[in-house]
């Protein structure tokens, strides 16, 4: 192999490694939000399409404690928050149904 071919192969290998590394960084940045597991109350409210007061009520009633802090905002584990939301939604719907039954009497 000539020196020019060796140089070309080395450059090709370096460029390929750099492109692969840059693609990994881009993927990590682009998909970071979908991999996020810790959210603030405001982020949970946006995700669920409700108010932060509703999120606070659901978390408080389920005794979900924050796992961290981001600035002034407390952060909550998504799995625990989802369980609290499902429990809260079930209770609110059951109470609403019961309320309509009582009104009908």
């Amino acid at each position: 192999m000539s020196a020019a071919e060796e140089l070309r192969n080395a450059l090709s290998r370096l460029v390929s490694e750099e492109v692969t590394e840059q693609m990994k960084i881009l993927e990590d940045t682009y998909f970071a939000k979908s991999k996020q597991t810790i959210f603030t109350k405001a982020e949970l409210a946006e995700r669920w399409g409700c108010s932060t007061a509703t999120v606070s009520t659901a978390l408080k009633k389920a005794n979900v404690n924050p796992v961290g802090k981001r600035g002034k905002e407390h952060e909550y584990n998504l799995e625990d928050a989802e369980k609290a939301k499902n429990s809260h939604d079930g209770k609110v719907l059951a109470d609403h149904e019961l309320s309509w039954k009582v009104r009908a009497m």
Side-chain angles (χ1 to χ4, degrees):
M1 225 192 291
S2 71
E5 288 177 6
E6 287 180 22
L7 182 59
R8 189 175 338 166
N9 289 340
L11 285 174
S12 175
R13 206 171 34 251
L14 286 173
V15 167
S16 175
E17 290 172 3
E18 181 66 25
V19 167
T20 303
E21 185 178 319
Q22 291 298 325
M23 286 300 294
K24 172 132 178 58
I25 291 169
L26 181 64
E27 286 176 4
D28 290 345
T29 303
Y30 184 75
F31 294 111
K33 197 70 167 172
S34 65
K35 296 177 184 177
Q36 184 177 355
T37 59
I38 296 178
F39 292 86
T40 64
K41 287 181 184 178
E43 291 169 337
L44 288 170
E46 182 181 324
R47 182 181 177 102
W48 296 340
C50 63
S51 68
T52 55
T54 303
V55 172
S56 294
T57 302
L59 294 174
K60 187 181 284 185
K61 286 186 177 181
N63 293 324
V64 176
N65 296 320
V67 294
K69 200 166 186 182
R70 187 183 324 152
K72 294 180 183 179
E73 299 276 331
H74 289 286
E75 297 176 319
Y76 297 87
N77 187 352
L78 180 62
E79 187 176 315
D80 296 338
E82 288 284 345
K83 287 178 186 174
K85 178 188 178 291
N86 292 336
S87 172
H88 179 264
D89 288 350
K91 288 177 185 174
V92 167
L93 289 174
D95 289 348
H96 184 71
E97 185 178 331
L98 181 63
S99 170
W100 276 100
K101 287 181 180 177
V102 168
R103 288 182 199 170
M105 293 178 145

